[in-house]
Amino acid sequence: ICDKEITSSQEGDISTKNLVFTYKYLNALDKAEPDSTRVVTEDITQLEKSLTVSFSREGSCSKKGVAPNQVGYYELEKERVILSTMTSMDMMSSFQEVCVMSNTFVISNLDFTPSEDFKIYYRNEKGVLVDLKACFYKSAMYGDGDVFKVPSENKVCSCDTGKITCQ
């Protein structure tokens, strides 16, 4: 794992600035190949200039339930952030079992101003962008499936596949 921070001043360039990335094995799957597009949002939390995104995804792990070494990085653009991982290919012969693993990205001091059009994506290791279906409402980000109260409007709202619904 790289100890050096990757930074750039250009919008859309990759960065690890102010990023804490963690990963862990969750469970084994009984299938021949992982589906690299199966990414399930677990949590999205935005507090001021901090963004936390957790999701689970399919990959290859060891028979002993160990996820391979991974690094995380991100690209911040005006209307989106793209989260990416890179898995160590060393000893990949040890990681032949299909599994579900969790990835968490915590980015602090993030210079961004999210809006209703702001999107959060995960770019899998094949280069495919997967929309994590985040929602933005009243200056806060929410994850797919989040339910929250809006006391000032006496409403209960939810984030459902990237759309806010209130009752």
Side-chain angles (χ1 to χ4, degrees):
I1 297 182
C2 180
D3 292 331
K4 198 169 191 181
E5 186 176 276
I6 302 168
T7 60
S8 174
S9 60
Q10 298 294 319
E11 179 179 290
D13 285 346
I14 65 170
S15 179
T16 59
K17 184 177 182 179
N18 301 317
L19 172 65
V20 175
F21 172 76
T22 57
Y23 62 92
K24 68 179 177 180
Y25 169 90
L26 295 178
N27 60 274
L29 295 176
D30 186 19
K31 58 193 291 188
E33 295 289 325
D35 178 353
S36 63
T37 62
R38 178 140 170 77
V39 179
V40 178
T41 305
E42 294 172 353
D43 183 50
I44 296 175
T45 305
Q46 177 238 335
L47 297 170
E48 296 178 13
K49 298 279 184 192
S50 176
L51 179 66
T52 301
V53 180
S54 296
F55 55 85
S56 60
R57 64 184 181 91
E58 293 186 15
S60 297
C61 297
S62 75
K63 289 182 179 182
K64 295 181 179 181
V66 176
N69 288 336
Q70 302 168 45
V71 294
Y73 56 94
Y74 66 94
E75 300 166 62
L76 179 62
E77 299 175 2
K78 184 177 179 181
E79 294 294 329
R80 68 183 186 173
V81 64
I82 301 170
L83 308 171
S84 301
T85 56
M86 190 179 321
T87 301
S88 171
M89 298 310 275
D90 293 344
M91 299 173 42
M92 277 312 286
S93 61
S94 300
F95 300 97
Q96 298 295 317
E97 300 297 313
V98 178
C99 68
V100 177
M101 61 186 88
S102 175
N103 292 151
T104 300
F105 293 75
V106 180
I107 310 168
S108 58
N109 296 316
L110 192 59
D111 186 20
F112 80 128
T113 307
S115 67
E116 289 182 20
D117 297 325
F118 193 83
K119 299 285 187 186
I120 301 174
Y121 293 96
Y122 169 66
R123 178 181 290 126
N124 68 24
E125 295 188 23
K126 294 183 178 183
V128 176
L129 286 180
V130 178
D131 186 349
L132 297 182
K133 298 176 178 61
C135 296
F136 179 83
Y137 188 75
K138 300 279 183 184
S139 68
M141 298 286 312
Y142 297 95
D144 188 34
D146 282 355
V147 177
F148 54 96
K149 282 186 171 185
V150 183
S152 63
E153 299 176 13
N154 199 26
K155 293 181 181 179
V156 174
C157 300
S158 63
C159 174
D160 185 25
T161 61
K163 305 281 187 238
I164 293 287
T165 305
C166 296
Q167 297 179 1

